[in-house]
Structures are given as C-alpha cells and as structure tokens.
Amino acid sequence: MDVLVMIVAAIVTVIAVGLFARTVVGFVRQFKVGKSINRTDKPALRTLTLLKEVFLATRLKQKPVGPIVAVSHLIVLIAFGVLFFTLVTAYGQLINPDFALPLIGHWPAFSYLIEIMSWLMVLAILILIAVRVARRPNPQQPRKSRFFGSTMWQAYYVEFTILAIGIFVLALRAAEYARGSVQGEEFIHSNFPLTGWIGENWTGLSLETLATLILLLAFGKILVSMAWFVTVAMTPTMGVAWHRFLAFFNVWFQRNANGKPALGQLEPIRYDGVALDFEKLDDFPDDIALGVTAMTDFSWKALLDFSTCTECGRCQSQCPAWNTEKPLSPKLLTIAMRNHAHAISPWMTATEEERAHLDPALIELAEKPLVGEDGVITDDILWSCTTCGACVNQCPVDIAHIDHIVDIRRSQVLVLSEFPTELNGLFKNVENKGNPWGMNASGRNDWISEVDFDVKVFGMDGEDTIPEDIDYLFWVGCAGAYEDRAKRTTKNVAELMNIAGVSFMVLGEGETCTGDPARRAGNEFLFQMQAAQNIEVLNEIKATKIVVTCPHCLNALKREYPQLGGNYEVVHHTELLNDLVKAGRLTPVNKIDQTVTYHDPCYLGRHNQVYNPPRELISATADSFVEMDRNRDKSFCCGAGGARMWMEEKLGTRINQTRGDEAIATGAKRIAVGCPFCSVMLNDAVNTRQQEPGRALGVEVVDVSTLLLDAAKS
Amino acid sequence: MGEVLVLVDAADGSVKKVTTELLTLAQSLGEPSAVWIGPGYTDAAGATLGEFGAQKVYVADSADYINHPVAPKAEVLSKLVADQSPIAVLIGSSPEGKEVAARLAVRTNSGIITDAIGIAPDLTATQSIFGGATVVQSKVSAGTPIITVRPNSTAPVANAGAATRVDVSVELSAAAKSATITNRAAAVKGGRPELTEAAIVVSGGRGVGAAEGFGVIEDLADSLGAAVGASRAATDAGYYPHAFQVGQTGKTVSPQLYIANGISGAIQHRAGMQTSKLIVAVNKDAEAPMFELADFGVVGDLFTVVPQLTEEIKKRKG
Amino acid sequence: MKIAVCVKQVPDSWAEKKLRDGDSLLDRDSVEAVLNELDEYAIEEALQITEAQGGGEVVIVTMGPERAGEAVRKALSMGADSGIHLVDASLAGSDAAGTSYALAKLLEGRGFDLIMFGSESTDARMSVVPSMVAERLGLPQLTFANKVEVSGGTVTIDRVGDYGIETISAATPAVLGMIERSNEPRYPSFKGIMAAKKKPVETVSAADAGIDAGAVGTSGSWSQVNSFAARPPKAAGVVVQDEGAGGVAIAEFLDAQKVL
Ligand SMILES: Cc1cc2nc3c(=O)[nH]c(=O)nc-3n(C[C@H](O)[C@H](O)[C@H](O)COP(=O)(O)OP(=O)(O)OC[C@H]3O[C@@H](n4cnc5c(N)ncnc54)[C@H](O)[C@@H]3O)c2cc1C
Ligand code: SF4
Ligand code: SF4
C-alpha cells in the first residue's frame, strides 16, 4: 500500500504542479498582450506599501466586522505560507512515518509556530466562512449582499480546503505525538503544546497502526492540497484563489507608489504607453486606437486588475449605482472583463496568422464587442458610473475601476460615437459656448452686479499678469457663474473674502469650462482642448494661488492640469474659509440654532481628501452637527459625478433621492454641501419629499459658506 | 408720386394685419398698390386694402400661382415691376415673404433689404440685427428696392384709396412649376404639434400640482395650436409623461413662443428652452429665476391666469 | 446621389476671449469663427440621405476667406466626403445677391442632384440665399423642410410654411433647405476628425468658377449699409403682478408681438 500511495501522490503532484505552472505561464502571456504602462517608479516605496497593505491589512478594515475579518484574513494569509512546510513534511511522511524536516523539524520554536498557526487558521477560516454564510445573498433582497454575483462555490471550496488542511495538520501532529509517545521519544514533551492532548487519546494504538494513520493523513493532506492546485489551475477565473498570488503584484504595481487609492486625476489617454497630446493631432496615425475598444486595448495592469479581483464585493456594497438598482456593479464589471479575457486568452495571445486558424467559435467570441446589448457589458452598465470612487477606495487589492470604465467610455465616444444622446448637448455646449448649459459667455460676470462691493476682474485695469497684492485668483466655475444656487455660493464666498480682507480677482469671460464633465464622459479630446485653453491663460497671467467653490474644478485644476503643464496651488473655499475662521479673520458671531448635517462631495472627499475643513466650519457656525450613516470616505454619491449631471437617470431609484432621504432622516434642518452639483441634486431630492404632506418640513440644502455668512453677519 | 407695390398676405381670404402695416408704410413713400396672388380675392378683401390706401389692387387669381411654392409669386411681382416700374416693393418679413423677395431680387436685378423695422421717405431702411443689439441704416443701390418689413413695425393708419382692381396674369416658367405642393395641412394636425417642432410651446412645472392640473395647460396649448411641455419635476411627479420633458436631459426646443407656467426656471430647464424667441412666464413667486429670462411675466396663480389667458386668446382669435 | 451642402463660417457670437500674443491683453478683436450651426441640419440630412441609399457623395461647398476652410473640415468630420472652397479676394463683402451668384456659378455643371442649405446663417439671418440660388439655377425650390423623403429621382418634403405644413415634391436636381431641429446633427467622432484631415478639399478661385468680378464683392453689392449704431442691450422683460387681469395682460403682450 505504501508504494501505491507514493506512486499516486507523485503522479497527482506532478500533474498538479504542471497544470499550475502552465496556468501561471498563461497569465503572464495574457498580461503581456496588454498595452504598456509604467508602474515601476519608486520601487522601495512600492515594496513598503505592499508590506503595509499586507501586514497591517490597511485595506480590509471595513465596518462593522472589518477588523475581525482583517485579522482573520491576515492569519490565513500568513498560515497559508507557513504551513507550506507541513506539506513538505507530509511528502516525507509518505516514505517514513517518523520523518521530520531536517534541522527545524524538532525545533520547539518551529513546532510552536506551526501549532499556533494551525489552530489560528482553523479558527480564522471558520470565522470567514461564518461571515460569508451570514452575508450570503438572501432571496428577498439578493442585491443587498456584497456577495451577490460572486461565485460562491469557489469561495467555499477555497475556504473548506483551508479548513481541511488545518485539520489534517493538527491530526497529523496528534498522530506524530502518539507515535513519538509510544516510541518514548523525548522531543514530544516540548513540541506538541496544542496537539499533544489529542495525541494522548491515540497512545493506545500500535506503532504500525499509527504509521498507517500518519501515512493516510499525509496522503489525504497531499491530495487536498493538490486537488486545490488542480482546481485553480483549471480555473484561471477563480479570483478568490488566484488573488492569493496575484494580489501581491497588483498591490505593488498600483497607480500610486505610496498606496493612495487611484482617485483624483484620471489616467491620461495613452497610445503605445505614451500619454497622448491632442495638440499634436497631425502626428497621430490614421487608425489610432483611442481608449479601450477591445480587450487587447487594455493595459497589462488592467488585465492584472481583472484577474486579481477576489469577488469580495466591497466595491459593490458601496456603489451608488448598484445600491439604486442600476445594472452596474464594479465587481460584476470586473468579473465580466476577467471572464471574457480568460475566455479569449488563446486568441489574445496568438499572432495574427495563428488567430486565423483558431476555433471559429473562439474567433466569434473574441469579436464580441466590449459594450452593447450583445457585448461583454451593456451600455447601461458603462454609463451608470458616477466616478464617485467608492469602489476604488474600498478595493482591498487596489483595482482601479474608474480608470477602466473611463477608458472604455473614451473609445465609445471618440471611436465609436456611441453615447447617451444627452451628452451631445453637453459636448456641443462645452465646445462652442465654453460651459455645459450653452449659456452666453458674457453672463459670467452677472453675479458681480448683484453684490454691493467691488470685484476685480482680470484685465479691467489693463494688467497683464495677476498683480502682486492679489491673494487668490477666484475661479468661479460654470455652475458658480450660471446656476442659481451656485451663484449664491459664489457671492457668499466673495463677500466672506471681502469681509476677511482677502484680496482676489476673477477671470470673468476669460474662464471656460475646465473640461471635467467631458473627461469623465470619455471625451478626452474636448477635455484637452478646454484644459489647454485654460492652462494657456492661467500660465500667461501667472496664476499661482487659486480658490474654487466647485470640487470638480478643484480636481481638474489641482490634480489634472499638472498632466498638461498647469501647476497651481488650488484650495476649496471650505479650506480657505476654515483657515480664515481659525486665524480669527472671520468670526461666527451668532451660531445657527439648528442641527446641520453634511454631505461629503465625492470630488472633495474621496478624490481630494478634504473631510475636516467643512466639518470644522459647520461646528464653528452651528449649534449641533450630526453625521449621516455614510460619511467621509464612505459617503454616498449624490449622483452627479462622471457627467451623470448631464444624463437622465432612467434606471432604478434616483441616487439623489436615496442620499437626500438619508440626509432628511438625520433630522437636520440644514443639509450642508460643498459642491454646486451636490447642491442641485440634494435640493431636488428635498423638494420632491416636501411635496408629501408633513415631510422634510423646513429642511434646506445650503452650501457651507451660507452657514458661515449667516453666522458671521447676524 | 411713384408707385409702391405691397404683396398682400392673406389667409383664408382675409387680409393680414401685416399687409395693412405695409400699406401704411407705402403711403409715406409713394402711391400704394396691393398685389393679390392666388384665388380667393373678394370685395371685402379689396375694401380692406382700399381702407389702408391701396389705389390699385393687382389681382393674379389663378390657383396655379399657389400650387407651386415661392417662385410663382416672384414671377408675378417681377412682371409688375417690369411693367409698372414701381419705386419699391414691400413684402412682409415672414419666412416665405423673404423667399419671394429673394427670388424677385434676382429676377429684377434689384437690391434687397430684409427685416426692416422702418423705411424713411428716401427709401433708407432701418434694420435691427444681431438679435437687436445693433441698428443699421441701409439703402438699395441697384434696381427696384425690395424690402421685407417685420410685422408690427408700424401702426396701421387708414387712408382711403380707390383699390381699383387690375387683373394680371403671367405665363409661369417651367422652373417655377418644377416643385408642386401636393398637400396642405394646418400646423396642428391630429392633436398637438410635435414638441421639438412646434412654433409655440406651453409648459407646466411642479406648480401645476397634479396630473389633472395639466388640463389648464393643455387648454391653453390648444387655443394657440401649441405643443405641451413639462419640467422634470412635473414629469417625475407623474403629472405628465416623460417624453414631454423640456431641458438639459429632456428635449431641447426653440419655438417662437414659450410659455412657462409654474416652472421656477432651474438652469437644467433653461438649457432646453433658452433659445426660444419669446418667453412668457407665469409663477406665483416673484423671485423665480424664470422671470429673469422672460420677455413678459405675470406673478400670480397659474390656475387663474392661465384659464383667463386661454379665454382671452379664444376671444381674440374669434 | 451627389449632394452639395452649402455652408458658411460665421463669427461665434459666444466666443471666449483670448489673450493677445504680444501684450497678453484680452483680445477683443479676435472673434472666433465657427461653422454656422444651422447648416449642421443640412449636413446631417445629407448624410442620412446617402446612408439610407447606401451610397452617394456629400460635398461641402463654401465661399469665404482662407480660414473658412476650418468650417469645411468641421463639416467633413461629421462624415461628408469632400469639399469645395471658393476663395478669392474679390468676393469679400459680397451681399446675398453676389453670394448667390457666385455659388450658382460654382455649382453649375457639377452634376449635383441636391443642393442643400441650412435655413439661415446666424450672422446675417436673411435666409434668402437658398431661394436666390434656386432662381439662378432654375431649379425647384424645396426650402424650410422639416422632413425629407427621397425616392428615385423625386424628393418630397414637409415644408413648414407660413400657414401650416405643405407637402411639396419635385424631381432632382433640386435645391433643398432644412430648418432648425429637423434632425439631430451628429457629434463628430474623433475618428471623423482624423479622417477629415485627409479628405480632399478643392480650392477654387473666382476666375476658375467663371465669376464676373464686377458682380461680386462690395462693388457688386446691390445694397449698402449707410450707418450703424449699437443699440443698448435688449431691455429686461416686463413682469407684472396679477391683479385679476394677468391673463389678459399676456394676451395683449402676445398680440403686440404678433404671435396670435
Ligand atoms: C441630472 C438632472 C437633470 C435635470 N434635467 C432637467 C430637465 O431636463 N428639465 C427640467 O425641467 N429639469 C431638469 N432637472 C431638474 C431641475 O433641477 C429642477 O428641479 C426642475 O426643473 C424644477 O422643476 P419646476 O420648476 O417645475 O419645479 P420647482 O422648482 O419646484 O418650481 C415650481 C414653481 O412653481 C411655482 N408655483 C407653484 N404653484 C404655483 C401656482 N399655483 N401658480 C403659479 N406658480 C406656481 C413655484 O413658485 C415655483 O417657482 C434636472 C435635474 C438634474 C439633477
Ligand atoms: S465609481 Fe462609484 S458609481 Fe462608479 S462603479 Fe465605482 S462605486 Fe460605482
Ligand atoms: S474589485 Fe476589489 S472590492 Fe470589488 S470585488 Fe473585486 S476585489 Fe473586491
């Protein structure tokens, strides 16, 4: 029997390792098809980031069970590595039941480590299984589960394999103890702290029986392990297993070497790995591929992202689109891309000539469009994204969903001309009129005639650069100039700066849309035209410090314009005003005796990490402040980002209503915001509720600056 | 005194107000003669033309002249210009009027001025261009001045003329007959006109309050032959179907007249209708931003203002 | 089917101000020039006609200075096939009569089945050139079309006339004018923009087109502008309080505006 077992184990192992190696090679070949992108800057920092993310589990602490899951996961992660030694031992035990690893095999410290890790691993995996079972989709509201759409058997299979291995290790050690005990070995007293008590029960067995027991247990352990290798090798789409290996690479190669989520600026559009400059249009090849039309247009990092997804669903649970019954889930999108990539991997990795000889069914599959009714994802999925960043911020393996979504939108807009019709108007208005609503440029200064203090407009006194004594260039923005509620914010901020003695200047008709909505809608060409125009002006007049009231302007000016040669110090008005209050230059004299809640705009919060200044301002101006359940980096989008402000929301429930209801539920009378689009969205939501008798009575959506002005003036 | 030809604009046999305005202008320039093209000339029409100073009425009443678009009218006028050598030809500035003027100008090698809002005795025309931003004085320097005049440029002044009927007929060129009108339909056919194509749009917003409330909006629209639109607040609340939403994420319209009732005028709504030529707003909130855009606004309850307007329009339209 | 679409480059009334190179002041002289928005409806319709027929050719025709070529490129980026650009110093300052004469000369004998126009240019707003060209070429005039149907050699349109919709048909060749919002002009794809750079644009001088220099330009104008004055910006609208006669007040206003 021993021989038979050994032969079977050897064959199984060879097959498993072979298959596994083949699949690994397959992965590498597929990633190599991806377009180039440089992700090797600052290698030391990247390594440090990797270590932090792995060992401090910095990306797993989602409440309420976050810390427990994080610790359990960390234990399994480490144990999985450490217990590799027990696998080696198991092979030895097939030959000799008393086999121990040379040098360390009977070293008490090693034994302690193995036993502690095994027990912890069993405990941790039971917790993880329990969490998965508890959070499994329930038939009434399946979409509420973050595991909706995840391949549950794969996860359970992985988890039960780990559980089985843990049990095998412990049982083996108990048997080793028993055999050692029967043989009167000394080492058993110092080596089996946590399994000896089990082994005590078997000391009555004969040496032969124990040898057989060890043989069978070792064989079982090997089979379970090899079955796992075979299974994952045969299933390259098994992200829950493969992330075990790929996540390290994915984390190391993430966009920001310092581990900051891939938010804020978008990745520039690339061709052959080089960021494109549309000013050099004439040098572009005729058939230039822009954005992602086919799987092979993705960068290797995007392909690695897709394969790394563990299907944990943390992104899905936060996604505003998913939570309002849209078809988009960042997880399902990632999975769809991954599955398709692997399904057509043989085609992707083949040369042009080889492709012709492939199975026609495969060729047909490879020609399936990425987007469309019969595509890998539908148009509705693609265009539902608000680019709120909740997914990117959550993903434990640093997948950059937004970059991929926008890259696909780029091809839809620039190459295929397939996009929601409403965007036609947006693009034309921005291109022809310099603002998204097609307003007249001369209206940019209308607000100035509605304030009773002087506002300096650049160029009025013949200056050709911003004068020395001007503290800030006040970038009013399109909403700030044209949209009624935002115009009020503009006037408030101007007045507050005026009161505080901050000197500022506006560009007036010299301003034009930053291009943010165009970029998020995939129209990189239009974005670059707008950006180039603005950067030319800003550089020419030597603008250095800029204050904005719109987080989208903030993001464009501060985070995106550097990609095109515009570098400025940009602050949001809540930051500036908060500094002014702290410095005593603005004093809230009369606190507002109402409860205020605050909605974090995605492009201020998650994308630019401004969480505290608005809160501090509110605390300084209002009697009481209450948080919504979802706040700060888990704030729930208002629904306007990603150019959704210019698209009709026809599917599911309205995102703004969901968020508005959440704000109303706090009981606050004032809902403070720091973004003109959030303001419109939440105001619409509150208005709608106020049509229902007795609801949202007296609730008002205001910009934070309104609170301060009210408090500072009265 | 030189003769001034005025092309008569008439619908269903009755002379339009713009024609009486043109005749009034013609009185100040020379001797007015009216030109009636197409069937349906009546003594009553002749009387109206005479009342405003037409000494002669040239009548070309073959149906042929109106079975083909534009060109026949230009050919009739061109014959009169050749035969009578008038000092000027005045035509109402409707889309078709301008087209007739255009062809006439080419046929007679004459200069053309469109959209005049006034004409001096020396035939210098005043035009307002760039959406009213600039006022220009122009004069025709070749041939017979052909001037199209905007409606309401002058108040009609009666000044009896003989209105002697002079029949004319012209052999139409093959080119003039090359396009044929096969059917005519009133702008409103089977219900209301299409929202994006309508010359008049009457819209309701949240202020309408309920689906039933849209009845008053529809009544007003029907009295004007207009299309019905709605704000997103109204369509979201189910007062009116989504297909009628006007705005940034709905339909974009630019009618001659847009009447906004109970619509606050959010930028998302304005983005879809701001290029309307005339905007009228009814809203009970005097601060509503829609009033900033409106050419005429009434602060009041739409449920009293709108039905009254509907009644008044029906009355005026007879 | 071979279609000419006549387009015009017009000053962009909404143009953003630019900084001047030399002294970096806001440059108030440079007004950006754009493709006349209303011509886009004609371009779109022409493209739809050829697409529906599964073939044909759409040629963009313009008369204007050197930089009017940009408007042609813009139109080409929407999908038209080629361009003809009539450029000549002698043409500067032509009035509608001169323009229609020059265009007629240019288009004559080129075998176009349809010669298309937008309803008017956003700068002059006369809407007379299409009729003048039809008159000069002796072609049927199908203008202010809201809907177009082409079958065989017959074109049928729904014309938005002064008193309702007229259905008009004529045999090609014909002049066809589209009104605003008769369709939804497409947004040029980037591919279209790239392709437009390679499309042929024929530059024609007045002499090439056999244009009599005396009939065009300022000297060839049949009307002249004697003086002009900027009028103060349009006064803000009137807002009245309803005191029982609000509806009547509106009716009076509408009457005065001649919309009833
Ligand atoms: C992404 C997005 C897209 C949008 N797209 C559009 C769009 O395409 N079109 C659009 O319209 N909106 C759009 N909106 C909504 C827009 O922001 C406004 O909420 C909406 O236009 C308001 O509609 P309203 O004016 O009817 O309602 P309100 O703003 O509530 O105004 C109602 C008005 O009615 C007046 N009123 C009430 N009762 C009476 C009465 N009895 N008589 C007279 N007046 C009365 C009130 O004074 C008030 O001014 C969009 C919003 C978002 C977020
Ligand atoms: S960015 Fe926001 S809306 Fe888009 S997929 Fe991620 S979570 Fe969903
Ligand atoms: S994308 Fe990231 S957060 Fe979303 S399921 Fe995959 S691993 Fe989890």
Side-chain angles (χ1 to χ4, degrees), chain A residues 315 318-321 328-330 384-392 401-402 405:
Chain A
C315 53
Q318 300 284 317
C319 175
L328 165 68
S329 141
S384 288
C385 176
T386 69
T387 69
C388 72
C391 51
V392 179
H401 315 75
I402 297 181
I405 289 174

Side-chain angles (χ1 to χ4, degrees), chain C:
Chain C
M1 182 152 267
K2 196 172 162 193
I3 305 178
V5 184
C6 300
V7 305
K8 182 178 182 185
Q9 191 183 41
V10 296
D12 181 2
S13 43
W14 317 86
E16 295 299 331
K17 303 297 179 286
K18 284 264 174 61
L19 293 185
R20 251 191 318 235
D21 273 336
D23 53 12
S24 308
L25 289 179
L26 282 178
D27 188 350
R28 293 175 205 286
D29 309 328
S30 102
V31 186
E32 228 165 301
V34 297
L35 171 63
N36 173 33
E37 218 180 301
L38 301 176
D39 293 340
E40 288 184 22
Y41 299 96
I43 301 166
E44 177 64 36
E45 197 68 36
L47 294 172
Q48 287 186 12
I49 292 171
T50 50
E51 280 161 10
Q53 300 199 331
E57 195 186 343
V58 177
V59 183
I60 303 300
V61 177
T62 199
M63 165 180 138
E66 207 69 58
R67 75 169 179 172
E70 295 161 16
V72 176
R73 290 283 168 216
K74 172 88 196 264
L76 292 177
S77 71
M78 288 175 71
D81 301 290
S82 60
I84 303 175
H85 183 181
L86 175 61
V87 50
D88 203 298
S90 68
L91 298 166
S94 296
D95 63 359
T99 304
S100 62
Y101 163 71
L103 284 177
K105 277 295 201 189
L106 180 65
L107 293 164
E108 214 168 35
R110 284 185 184 257
F112 287 113
D113 299 298
L114 285 176
I115 296 174
M116 297 187 61
F117 292 90
S119 55
E120 58 183 0
S121 63
T122 54
D123 55 346
R125 293 219 174 260
M126 286 179 74
S127 67
V128 294
V129 170
S131 314
M132 287 182 161
V133 169
E135 176 71 40
R136 290 186 189 275
L137 294 174
L139 295 181
Q141 169 179 355
L142 304 168
T143 46
F144 292 113
N146 192 21
K147 213 175 96 195
V148 179
E149 256 170 47
V150 179
S151 78
T154 307
V155 185
T156 306
I157 67 158
D158 275 358
R159 169 182 166 92
V160 180
D162 289 1
Y163 296 108
I165 309 287
E166 298 161 347
T167 308
I168 308 180
S169 50
T172 56
V175 167
L176 176 57
M178 302 306 302
I179 60 164
E180 199 174 349
R181 312 221 171 274
S182 46
N183 52 41
E184 180 73 42
R186 61 196 70 185
Y187 186 79
S189 72
F190 185 72
K191 230 166 92 183
I193 294 167
M194 292 294 284
K197 294 193 297 174
K198 302 272 177 336
K199 290 177 178 171
V201 176
E202 180 191 349
T203 310
V204 181
S205 71
D208 296 341
I211 292 167
D212 170 7
V216 292
T218 353
S219 57
S221 274
W222 293 346
S223 60
Q224 68 212 36
V225 175
N226 294 342
S227 74
F228 72 89
R231 209 163 64 174
K234 190 180 120 183
V238 186
V239 178
V240 302
Q241 188 71 40
D242 176 37
E243 270 145 10
V248 176
I250 298 176
E252 268 159 16
F253 171 79
L254 296 182
D255 227 350
Q257 298 291 327
K258 217 235 159 195
V259 277
L260 288 188

Side-chain angles (χ1 to χ4, degrees), chain B residues 176-216:
Chain B
K177 293 195 278 193
S178 59
T180 308
I181 300 177
T182 56
N183 186 37
R184 278 198 177 80
V188 199
K189 45 175 175 186
R192 305 191 182 92
E194 226 282 305
L195 181 55
T196 52
E197 294 165 3
I200 303 179
V201 174
V202 178
S203 278
R206 177 137 49 206
V208 175
E212 304 78 58
F214 259 81
V216 303

Side-chain angles (χ1 to χ4, degrees), chain A residues 146 150 305 308-316 330-332 334-335 391 394-399 401:
Chain A
R146 69 177 163 98
S150 300
D305 268 7
T308 306
C309 173
T310 80
E311 308 192 359
C312 73
R314 287 182 169 74
C315 53
Q316 177 173 295
K331 176 185 79 181
L332 297 181
T334 307
I335 294 177
C391 51
Q394 275 300 309
C395 181
V397 295
D398 295 312
I399 290 170
H401 315 75

